[in-house]
Amino acid sequence: METPETVSEGHTFKSLGVVDVLCEACDQLKWKLPSKIQVEALPVALEGKDVIGLAETGSGKTGAFALPILQALLETPQKLFALVLTPTRELAYQISEQFEALGSTIGVKCAVIVGGMDMITQAMALAKKPHIIIATPGRLVDHLENTKGFNLRSLKFLVMDEADRILNMDFEAEVDKILKSIPRERRTYLYSATMTKKVQKLQRASLRDPVKVEVSSKYQTVDKLQQSYVFIPVKYKDTYLVYILNELAGNSCIIFCATCANTQRVSYMLRNLGLTAIPLNGQMAQAKRLGALNKFKAKARSILIATDVASRGLDIPHIDIVINFDIPTHSKDYIHRVGRTARAGRAGKSITFVTQYDVELFQRIEQLIDKKMPLFKTEEEEVMQLQERVSEAQRIAAMECKEEARAKNKSKRGAASDSDTEEKSSTVVRKRIKKGKKGKSH
Ligand code: AMP
């Protein structure tokens, strides 16, 4: 899922029909040439046709649907002009960022309407009648049913982004409701990574005479990506992780774990060793997830520890290294994970941890990518020198996890907020550690 592969067969945004002011916006974003999906989709969309696009995040598909919408908006300025439906909150914010960046000179106003955020604030944003609404289906239906004065009867464009995921997340009923409350006379763009039966059904129900465009970026990994593995006993995984992070210090890194609990444990462990790690998983409250991503994007944290929630869809521009700490059980997830690096023509590395239990899964991955990976070089002696410090960090991390679980249980019974409890639990543990250390130091 190598980031937008651009094509130089003489196409420019201008030659595809994009107006000057938007070409300038692309230029400012350093989009020098259109990506493949943009070359395919833009002329069709600018002609006023419905588009069904088979493309993944990373292909430049947001530009492929945002540019024609903005161009139409320039021609006939109007509030509540377009609606973009997308499966996750993170994607919604990313899409909104791209609309705002492309539309900054023409004063485009967007509203992001997603679950987990305050309804009233959203209702106020909708009352101001933005040009573009980017929403997850559930929360949008909530507003259509409960927010006085809000309707989408003036809508001119509908985008269904990552339609396969929207439908897999059981949003079918919500999508139906939304389709019923918007005008039939409109343009529709449907983007999906895969063409499933459900997507076909949705296409028949919502698109008119669409043109299909497709880029095949599936199941390929890019040449600029150096993929490797380490083969290690399961009990030394943490120690090897610390060794490798030290070896690769100065790079930005994403570490994939199989469970939310493990992301939390590993980040505590690394933090106890002075590394700037931050977890990102589906169990964190929305505000915390965004906070985590923003800290990482702003480079205040160089190590992001994530579950597969983060391996799809997220646009994190500067990752140098992907570490598969827990090997993915579905080999296709491997492609998505390593697709987080070596984007936009930059180089990147991936290192997959293979323990005695993971050999079969690893072989499946090699089969899928049709490549034999080299071993990532490690010096066993040096690794083992870290063992003692890592054990201590693990012990403290285990206490921190326990303390956090206890605090969370307490807060469920009505005490402090999510973020408060985590702060408190860490502070309590650290105090205990200090006490413990004092006791020991004689
Ligand atoms: P998307 O697939 O729409 O999520 O886009 C992935 C990333 O590619 C985003 O960071 C975009 O800003 C970037 N991008 C989109 N189109 C282009 C382009 N033509 N040239 C360079 N980068 C692009």
Side-chain angles (χ1 to χ4, degrees):
M1 214 183 39
E2 52 287 22
T3 307
E5 218 177 296
T6 50
V7 271
S8 49
E9 295 153 9
H11 297 291
T12 60
F13 286 104
K14 197 173 168 71
S15 74
L16 296 172
V18 178
V19 293
D20 285 349
V21 57
L22 291 172
C23 288
E24 275 160 32
C26 293
D27 203 45
Q28 274 178 7
L29 289 179
K30 308 234 163 10
W31 297 5
K32 298 273 174 261
L33 292 167
S35 74
K36 275 189 177 167
I37 192 72
Q38 290 161 358
V39 168
E40 302 279 321
L42 284 173
V44 181
L46 289 169
E47 237 177 71
K49 297 232 166 75
D50 281 6
V51 174
I52 167 145
L54 288 184
E56 299 185 38
T57 294
S59 60
K61 67 185 162 67
T62 315
F65 62 71
L67 286 167
I69 292 177
L70 292 169
Q71 191 146 322
L73 183 64
L74 266 172
E75 279 162 23
T76 40
Q78 185 210 297
K79 302 287 172 78
L80 296 177
F81 189 69
L83 167 67
V84 182
L85 292 178
T86 189
T88 68
R89 304 153 184 178
E90 279 85 2
L91 276 170
Y93 284 102
Q94 283 169 25
I95 293 169
S96 165
E97 273 171 23
Q98 286 203 43
F99 264 102
E100 283 180 352
L102 288 169
S104 64
T105 48
I106 57 175
V108 164
K109 296 272 175 297
C110 297
V112 175
I113 303 296
V114 293
M117 304 303 254
D118 180 47
M119 276 289 277
I120 312 255
T121 317
Q122 289 179 350
M124 279 157 52
L126 291 174
K128 285 192 195 144
K129 300 208 181 335
H131 300 107
I132 322 277
I133 298 175
I134 300 109
T136 48
R139 179 55 69 95
L140 186 74
V141 167
D142 216 351
H143 280 287
L144 283 169
E145 290 176 347
N146 300 309
T147 299
K148 265 198 195 140
F150 170 59
N151 67 67
L152 289 170
R153 290 195 285 266
S154 64
L155 208 71
K156 295 287 184 288
F157 281 85
L158 170 70
V159 180
M160 288 178 282
D161 181 45
E162 305 225 348
D164 48 353
R165 288 179 76 196
I166 292 184
L167 298 173
N168 283 344
M169 286 164 85
D170 277 340
F171 277 134
E172 260 173 302
E174 283 82 357
V175 171
D176 277 348
K177 276 188 192 159
I178 293 165
L179 287 173
K180 283 194 184 113
S181 56
I182 61 176
R184 277 167 177 273
E185 208 38 63
R186 58 156 203 268
R187 293 275 66 84
T188 309
Y189 304 144
L190 187 154
Y191 278 86
S192 187
T194 52
M195 189 39 131
T196 61
K197 284 224 168 75
K198 284 181 184 174
V199 175
Q200 272 169 350
K201 199 173 138 208
L202 178 64
Q203 174 195 334
R204 283 195 296 273
S206 60
L207 273 72
R208 264 196 212 168
D209 206 9
V211 175
K212 190 166 157 192
V213 297
E214 192 168 346
V215 291
S216 55
S217 59
K218 288 188 74 194
Y219 314 140
Q220 286 167 11
T221 47
V222 258
D223 296 339
K224 291 224 167 74
L225 170 66
Q226 291 174 16
Q227 307 172 77
S228 58
Y229 75 101
V230 283
F231 186 58
I232 49 174
V234 76
K235 70 172 177 180
Y236 295 127
K237 270 175 109 174
D238 284 355
T239 321
Y240 271 88
L241 178 66
V242 174
Y243 169 85
I244 287 172
L245 289 173
N246 282 337
E247 287 291 295
L248 301 171
N251 287 295
S252 65
C253 218
I254 187 163
I255 300 173
F256 283 104
C257 293
T259 62
C260 297
N262 214 20
T263 61
Q264 192 65 66
R265 186 195 68 81
V266 173
S267 44
Y268 277 142
M269 191 256 313
L270 295 179
R271 276 192 232 165
N272 290 332
L273 290 164
L275 293 158
T276 55
I278 191 158
L280 180 80
N281 64 54
Q283 270 175 17
M284 290 159 66
Q286 170 62 6
K288 276 180 106 184
R289 277 160 75 174
L290 283 178
L293 252 188
N294 286 338
K295 270 188 197 157
F296 185 76
K297 278 191 185 173
K299 306 193 185 182
R301 297 281 188 283
S302 58
I303 305 169
L304 188 68
I305 305 174
T307 51
D308 280 300
V309 167
S311 78
R312 274 176 159 243
L314 293 183
D315 178 25
I316 307 164
H318 66 279
I319 287 180
D320 304 310
I321 295 154
V322 173
I323 296 182
N324 289 308
F325 182 71
D326 294 323
I327 198 161
T329 38
H330 302 290
S331 25
K332 282 178 196 165
D333 282 337
Y334 175 85
I335 312 277
H336 290 128
R337 288 182 180 189
V338 299
R340 305 287 97 211
T341 184
R343 292 158 71 101
R346 289 170 61 175
K349 275 197 181 80
S350 77
I351 303 165
T352 299
F353 280 43
V354 185
T355 72
Q356 64 270 40
Y357 306 113
D358 307 323
V359 177
E360 212 184 310
L361 286 171
F362 182 64
Q363 285 170 340
R364 253 187 253 160
I365 292 170
E366 284 196 324
Q367 249 173 20
L368 181 77
I369 61 169
D370 198 19
K371 262 189 199 139
K372 283 260 170 237
M373 290 186 219
L375 195 67
F376 182 86
K377 271 208 182 123
T378 52
E379 297 293 336
E380 199 185 331
E381 220 172 279
E382 283 176 34
V383 178
M384 286 308 133
Q385 280 169 10
L386 294 166
Q387 181 59 31
E388 200 176 322
R389 284 180 59 215
V390 171
S391 297
E392 176 67 0
Q394 284 171 327
R395 193 181 62 76
I396 300 168
M399 275 165 65
E400 285 172 319
C401 287
K402 248 192 215 158
E403 203 61 55
E404 195 195 327
R406 210 174 293 150
K408 269 206 178 122
N409 276 342
K410 234 190 209 170
S411 81
K412 262 192 203 148
R413 284 182 241 121
S417 76
D418 209 14
S419 55
D420 281 349
T421 50
E422 193 173 320
E423 287 282 309
K424 275 181 199 155
S425 69
S426 298
T427 323
V428 173
V429 172
R430 290 211 172 96
K431 273 186 192 153
R432 281 193 195 162
I433 294 166
K434 270 192 190 155
K435 268 192 186 167
K437 277 204 175 137
K438 262 185 204 160
K440 264 189 202 167
S441 65
H442 293 286

